[in-house]
Amino acid sequence: MSAPGTLRQTGDAAAGGNHKPGTGGPRGRQLRRRDPLTWARRGGLSSVVFALPLLVIFGVFSWWPIVRSVIMSFQKTNLVGTPKWVGWHNFQYVLTDPDLPTAIRNTLYFALLALVIGFPVPLVTAVLISSVRRRKGLYSALAYLPVVVPPVVAVLLWKFFYDGSSDGVFNTILRWVGLGPYTWLSSPSLAMPSLVVEATWAAAGGTVIIYLAALISVPDELYDAAEVDGAGIWRKVWHVSMPQLRGVLLITFILQIIGTVQVFLEPYLFTGGGPANATLTILLMIYNYGFGSSLGGNYGAATALSVMLAAFLAILSLVYFKLTSRWSK
């Protein structure tokens, strides 16, 4: 006895010859003739009704602020008076700001230091945790613990550690080996590396968990085969773990670039952009444009710089994924 699906396919073939559904046969013409009433009766309307509240909420809280920001970037407004359309004036104002090159340079410096210091640390930590035989859960929890600490609390804690006096925590430890004292946050050369170290400590735990989850998916047979060939732990990491983590590494790399370029909390709470603008970043400039004046900020300039930063990150992401599309496979 033929199955119902076979009978249905035979009937379609007999009625429409060699036509494929949707390509000109009777069934394709039937699909094209489906009227709105039939679509609604088959559940299309109910699906739209269920999805509409979510789409409205998503549009109001996600897309509308983006559209509003783009509009404000062409206006002069402090959110109090009537907005005045000024065209490209806000972009010209931002691009001619003498602090903009300093903010760009500091932001790129922070991103570079964060990649050099912060990118290998979670990877090495995840590999070490995955290689231990016992208490992996405890080590994973300890690695993730800094993420649980509220960011403001973490900054205040590290600000205490970075006390520039001889009695500061870090200066006391360095004095034991004959170094210091150092004025960590008051030194133009040490302020930015100090911020990077704290930011790495605060955010590395989430990436460690991602790498651990990816390492679990690596077949044990590959490690066993490498061990039979006499490979040590670091050869296993380089020849087994790293190729399997290639896609995850590429994603976390671009996410870290996007996150570090948008750094704001650490410069704002640690140094306020000082000393001598040594930690002034692009997002801190945006904040100063919008909220730096008690008489009402220049929100047009703030949104103009935000739009330029968003456009730069979007283009960077597109180029990055285009260049790495072959490597991720």
Side-chain angles (χ1 to χ4, degrees), residues 38-63:
T38 304
W39 171 80
R41 287 176 177 175
R42 294 189 176 183
L45 183 60
S46 60
S47 300
V48 172
V49 170
F50 277 109
L52 189 59
L54 298 177
L55 294 176
V56 171
I57 293 174
F58 183 80
V60 169
F61 290 99
S62 181
W63 287 106

Side-chain angles (χ1 to χ4, degrees), residues 68-75 86-95 100 282 286 289 298-312:
R68 188 73 182 94
S69 298
V70 174
I71 296 174
M72 287 179 59
S73 65
F74 295 97
Q75 296 175 337
V86 294
W88 296 97
H89 173 75
N90 291 325
F91 294 90
Q92 295 174 356
Y93 174 80
V94 170
L95 292 175
L100 182 61
I282 294 178
I286 294 174
Y289 281 146
N298 189 352
Y299 294 100
T303 53
L305 184 54
S306 301
V307 169
M308 287 191 290
L309 178 61
F312 168 76

Side-chain angles (χ1 to χ4, degrees), residues 179-190:
L179 298 177
Y182 298 102
T183 55
W184 302 98
L185 300 178
S186 301
S187 171
S189 59
L190 293 178

